[in-house]
Amino acid sequence: MPLHPVLEEVTQAIASRSAETRAAYLDRIGRAADQGPARAHLTCGNQAHAYAASGEAKSLLAVGRAPNLGIVTAYNDMLSAHQPFERYPALIRDAARAAGATAQVAGGVPAMCDGVTQGQTGMELSLFSRDVIALSAGVALSHNCFDAAVFMGVCDKIVPGLVIAAASFGHIPAVFLPAGPMTSGLPNDEKSKVRQKYATGEIGRDELMQAEMESYHGPGTCTFYGTANSNQMLMELMGLHLPGASFVTPNTDLRDALTVAGAQRALEITALGNRYTPAGRVLDERAFANGIVGLMATGGSTNLVLHLPAMARAAGIILDIEDFARLSEITPLMARVYPNGLADVNHFHAAGGLGYMIGELLEAGLLHPDTLTVAGEGLARYTQEPKLVDGRLTWTEGAGESLNDKILRTVADPFQKTGGLRALDGNLGRGIIKISAVAPERHVIEAPARIFQDQEEVKAAFRRGEFTSDTIVVVRFQGPRANGMPELHALTPTLSVLQDRGLKVALVTDGRMSGASGKVPAAIHVSPEAANGGPLARLRDGDVIRLDAPAGRLEVLTEGALDRAPVTPDLSANETGLGRELFAAFRANAKSAAKGAGIVV
């Protein structure tokens, strides 16, 4: 099937826009590759330090003729998604030893759980942790002892930060090793109903706590289709996972076999062999276009509209919101996974999962088939699924059809003709909206605004019973320069209650929403942000705002509203406490949301 002309045009636009920066990037990683195996350039003293604690692997490392694999890990016990990584280094070392090679933990990176910090002060460090992760991984790999790297991460900012680092060290191969989703617990829609009952005072904290514990109940990724699982989809669509690796549950024989196979594959594709596959070549404009298509086809997290431009810039590629908008227009929504449906990712995987979806999109000309991946040339191999046959890992043909059309559908008969995200533009700035879970009758909202400076003010107004008519809630001064651009997911139960009461309600903010949000229309990532004098800073209570998702418009209709002087609030309360003082330089230098809100790229 020939490529869809719009996919071809968008990819070519990305390549043309990025020609200069991509050429400089490829030249840089090419020169690094030409220097040969890294360890050859270390002094004897350098190497003795590097190998001192390597035990029986020391002699093999000193000779330097076999590949040495660097392990970058985001393991901690705080994230259920990352707890399984505790066992991975031992598996990887054993796999390397069996292949006549070596592996070392190069370093660890921080990993914040947004579920823990949601609605808390720590969330103001969340987005910036992506850049800290990239920096930390860069420090780990700067020892220059490694012929390839494996990256262990799953959740929201962790994978994007690791991809930025992998691209920065793009002359060496990079294989990403997932941990997989936790087994299904309390259904996500039931958990959401309990949260709404708590928000209205119908139940107490004991019942809320019981529901939350039944939902988040074991090791592995949260099972809704938020940012963490969107990350895993991207790593597969972009060729950094082994085929079918994303959604195999933790601590199973198949999961362990995939971890071992990922380490072995990383050792096979170093510059020391005949299958050299540097990460910088995998991460080209076709891979990023494929990733955007996957995001649209699955109704993925809005956070990736921030992360993908930052990831791409690390590889010399410049993405624009318009790229997302154009690809959304041609990509059918093929999946219904909570919050865009009742199923969780385990149900999605069982119904045919990414292998089926990739096959459908390839057949329709909606993915580049000829990308370079860590598994080899071409994306067609990602239609296969891994299985253990007589104890050996093998890849077989995938389902070939959806096993549940309430969860996963064909390109010809999708849930929607277009993707789950829309770009917004207008006199209030540029932003995005996720509409895959929003009822069609709520795609256009026009109503007076209520202006708030933080989410706690919104909750307080709700408790006072102040929302009695159609309202667009504006929460401003939530951008990267104001307070680090926290997610405002804690507002979801409150706004959902208002919507369930029959009110037309929407959110407009220069902050973010969780990848799990979606039933209430929300125009997010609005830039320029209010702290930079953006239009949101000029709004007042009662201004009429129109949010038109189908038309891609976000506008204030009140005459003269934007002629006012911008509000300049006191933001000093955002500057200290729980580590915020350490991130002053980040807040001062963050790029706009439209450019990925990054510091290091």
Side-chain angles (χ1 to χ4, degrees), residues 166-498:
S168 298
F169 286 78
H171 61 289
I172 64 172
V175 175
F176 278 63
L177 302 177
M182 70 175 69
T183 56
S184 301
L186 180 74
N188 288 293
D189 62 316
E190 291 186 28
K191 174 195 66 183
S192 179
K193 291 174 183 175
V194 172
R195 287 179 173 177
Q196 289 186 41
K197 287 182 178 180
Y198 179 75
T200 58
E202 295 176 56
I203 62 172
R205 183 172 291 275
D206 288 349
E207 291 172 87
L208 175 66
M209 187 65 182
Q210 180 180 347
E212 298 287 357
M213 295 291 281
E214 288 175 0
S215 180
Y216 308 115
H217 63 91
T221 317
C222 304
T223 59
F224 56 80
Y225 195 59
T227 310
N229 286 315
S230 297
N231 283 340
Q232 303 316 295
M233 175 277 300
L234 281 174
M235 293 302 94
E236 203 149 325
L237 267 288
M238 294 174 67
L240 291 173
H241 275 179
L242 291 182
S246 295
F247 300 130
V248 176
T249 52
N251 302 321
T252 60
D253 290 342
L254 181 56
R255 177 83 276 160
D256 286 354
L258 284 165
T259 299
V260 169
Q264 291 170 337
R265 185 60 184 172
L267 293 167
E268 291 169 356
I269 59 177
T270 73
L272 297 174
N274 299 321
R275 302 172 183 172
Y276 179 43
T277 310
R281 290 288 181 180
V282 173
L283 293 167
D284 67 5
E285 61 273 6
R286 296 169 301 166
F288 282 99
N290 282 354
I292 295 172
V293 169
L295 190 68
M296 300 306 169
T298 56
S301 169
T302 53
N303 279 321
L304 271 305
V305 184
L306 279 175
H307 297 321
L308 276 165
M311 293 154 64
R313 282 177 180 268
I317 293 169
I318 301 171
L319 299 181
D320 187 82
I321 289 179
E322 188 61 26
D323 302 324
F324 292 83
R326 294 197 67 198
L327 292 177
S328 180
E329 290 171 359
I330 64 166
T331 305
L333 179 67
M334 299 171 63
R336 285 261 187 235
V337 187
Y338 190 86
N340 175 31
L342 299 181
D344 66 23
V345 292
N346 294 314
H347 305 138
F348 168 77
H349 186 61
L354 290 177
Y356 170 75
M357 178 172 282
I358 290 169
E360 277 284 302
L361 291 168
L362 284 170
E363 184 65 26
L366 290 170
L367 290 173
H368 291 278
D370 54 348
T371 51
L372 180 63
T373 79
V374 297
E377 291 277 356
L379 200 59
R381 68 188 67 239
Y382 284 78
T383 65
Q384 298 180 322
E385 61 178 306
K387 292 182 178 178
L388 284 176
V389 179
D390 296 328
R392 296 189 61 182
L393 182 63
T394 185
W395 274 265
T396 63
E397 288 303 315
E401 62 181 2
S402 171
L403 302 181
N404 188 332
D405 64 6
K406 294 180 181 179
I407 299 172
L408 188 57
R409 288 192 181 173
T410 65
V411 167
D413 182 30
F415 294 102
Q416 293 180 183
K417 295 293 186 183
T418 58
L421 299 178
R422 289 281 191 280
L424 298 171
D425 209 341
N427 61 12
L428 287 179
R430 301 181 80 190
I432 60 166
I433 182 171
K434 179 177 179 177
I435 61 167
S436 53
V438 176
E441 63 270 20
R442 299 188 181 113
H443 286 185
V444 178
I445 304 288
E446 183 177 314
R450 280 289 307 273
I451 313 299
F452 300 92
Q453 312 293 65
D454 63 57
Q455 57 188 324
E456 292 306 316
E457 290 182 359
V458 180
K459 294 178 184 178
F462 172 78
R463 289 192 294 269
R464 291 192 299 266
E466 295 179 6
F467 296 105
T468 57
S469 59
D470 297 347
T471 307
I472 289 185
V473 175
V474 176
V475 186
R476 61 190 180 188
F477 299 105
Q478 303 298 308
R481 292 203 172 195
N483 63 351
M485 204 178 186
E487 289 182 351
L488 305 177
H489 181 60
L491 289 178
T492 298
T494 299
L495 298 178
S496 297
V497 168
L498 296 176

Side-chain angles (χ1 to χ4, degrees), residues 56-113:
E56 61 186 43
K58 190 184 301 186
S59 58
L60 193 57
L61 281 162
V63 172
R65 293 173 185 160
N68 185 35
L69 186 58
I71 303 168
V72 180
T73 177
Y75 160 71
N76 66 38
D77 289 331
M78 180 63 69
L79 277 75
S80 62
H82 288 198
Q83 189 277 334
F85 289 141
E86 183 177 20
R87 299 172 50 246
Y88 278 31
L91 291 172
I92 294 166
R93 289 192 197 97
D94 288 346
R97 190 178 303 113
T102 53
Q104 297 176 286
V105 174
V109 303
M112 173 184 282
C113 180

